[in-house]
Amino acid sequence: MREIIGYFFMFIGVLFDAVGCIGLVRLPDLYNRLQASLKCVAMGTSLILLGTIIIVGVSPVGAKAFLCLLFILIISPTTEHALARASYIAGVKMWEKSIVDRLNEDKKSETG
Amino acid sequence: MKKLVLSMISFIVWVLLSWPFTPHGIDWQAIVVGIVASGFVGILFGDVFTDSPHRFFELKRYFWLLYFIAVFVWAFLEASFDFAYRVLHPSLPIRPGIIKVKTKLKKRAGIAMLANSIGFAPGAVTVEVIGDTLYIHMACLRYQDTEEATAYVVRRFERILERIFE
């Protein structure tokens, strides 16, 4: 029974990972693609690790999977922010149908 | 104090990684190595750790942390399903843009945690942090005004985080 629940979580996780990859191809610009890879892929990977924890239970493997889960939740938004900030500073353009860019407005008003 | 707290945290991580609980009892060898190694980590890196380590001993903060984890998991689920829907929808219903929000948090750790959890709020990623102002890229803009956006995106994490970190 425990294995079935674990494999179910893993299955959903792989589906989320696949959606994240589709998002990487379909979305128009870097910032939206970053979000696809953050949300869907972090969710998918977390679910796969959760499935692993459910299958193996409290054991050395389960403890390592739990640590991985924790680190993914801390590190993936941090890297996402680092990439977004670096590409904004490097001048990667946003999609032309983007609605507002307050950061650009503020930078312009600062420099006059 | 800083060094002691950091040593304790690294010892917990060590125990989880090495897992000394064998069927025949506890593996003392691994525990001793862990104490020595985490002591070194604490002495070497204690200076770059948080400025107020006494907060780790206030039990109230841990209950708020549990509540925060519940809110966070809910936001994470909401965000993933929302984004999966947007990606798979044939007409790709996104309205991206960068908006500005303000936070009341003062501590660096609190702002970092807030920026991280905004990364998991529906369709948002933090692009730049300047002082108390966060610039957020959202895939589906609902609010362009700073006050409205603050109320919608930031408040639900901020009111818990200020009890954990401030």
Side-chain angles (χ1 to χ4, degrees), chain A residues 16 19 22-23 26-29 31-32 35-36 38-40 42-43 46 58-60 63-64 66-67 73-74 76-78 80-81 84-85 88-89 94-95 97-103 106-107, chain B residues 13 16-17 19 72 76-77 79-81 83-84 86-92 94-100 116 119-130 135 137-139 141 144-146:
Chain A
F16 265 110
V19 171
I22 296 171
R26 283 199 70 191
L27 289 167
D29 69 350
Y31 304 98
N32 287 307
Q35 292 204 34
L38 171 65
K39 306 240 158 48
C40 296
M43 189 70 189
S46 312
V58 181
S59 68
K64 286 178 186 74
F66 175 73
L67 270 184
L73 289 184
I74 296 170
S76 68
T78 314
E80 229 57 63
H81 163 67
R85 183 164 184 271
Y88 196 93
I89 291 171
M94 288 172 70
W95 191 33
K97 286 182 195 160
S98 296
I99 294 171
V100 290
D101 187 351
R102 296 261 186 248
L103 184 52
D106 282 12
K107 282 212 167 129
Chain B
V13 174
L16 282 176
L17 270 179
W19 203 256
F72 172 79
F76 190 16
L77 279 172
S80 322
F81 279 100
F83 216 80
R86 286 183 203 290
V87 166
L88 295 177
H89 196 285
S91 64
L92 209 64
I94 55 170
R95 306 170 69 230
I98 293 180
I99 54 167
K100 185 162 87 166
N116 267 7
F120 285 116
V125 64
T126 315
V127 177
E128 176 74 292
V129 183
I130 302 169
Y135 294 89
H137 180 275
M138 293 198 82
L141 279 184
Q144 297 181 25
D145 186 56
T146 302

Side-chain angles (χ1 to χ4, degrees), chain A:
Chain A
M1 189 59 204
R2 217 164 76 178
E3 291 211 340
I4 295 172
I5 298 172
Y7 282 126
F8 175 73
F9 273 109
M10 283 186 180
F11 177 70
I12 305 279
V14 173
L15 277 187
F16 265 110
D17 274 358
V19 171
C21 297
I22 296 171
L24 276 182
V25 179
R26 283 199 70 191
L27 289 167
D29 69 350
L30 183 137
Y31 304 98
N32 287 307
R33 287 179 177 170
L34 271 179
Q35 292 204 34
S37 68
L38 171 65
K39 306 240 158 48
C40 296
V41 175
M43 189 70 189
T45 317
S46 312
L47 283 175
I48 292 173
L49 286 169
L50 195 66
T52 314
I53 294 173
I54 290 173
I55 290 174
V56 298
V58 181
S59 68
V61 180
K64 286 178 186 74
F66 175 73
L67 270 184
C68 285
L69 183 61
L70 215 62
F71 284 146
I72 280 180
L73 289 184
I74 296 170
I75 288 166
S76 68
T78 314
T79 44
E80 229 57 63
H81 163 67
L83 283 171
R85 183 164 184 271
S87 26
Y88 196 93
I89 291 171
V92 176
K93 290 272 181 298
M94 288 172 70
W95 191 33
E96 63 270 19
K97 286 182 195 160
S98 296
I99 294 171
V100 290
D101 187 351
R102 296 261 186 248
L103 184 52
N104 196 15
E105 288 168 17
D106 282 12
K107 282 212 167 129
K108 269 183 193 158
S109 65
E110 255 174 43
T111 51

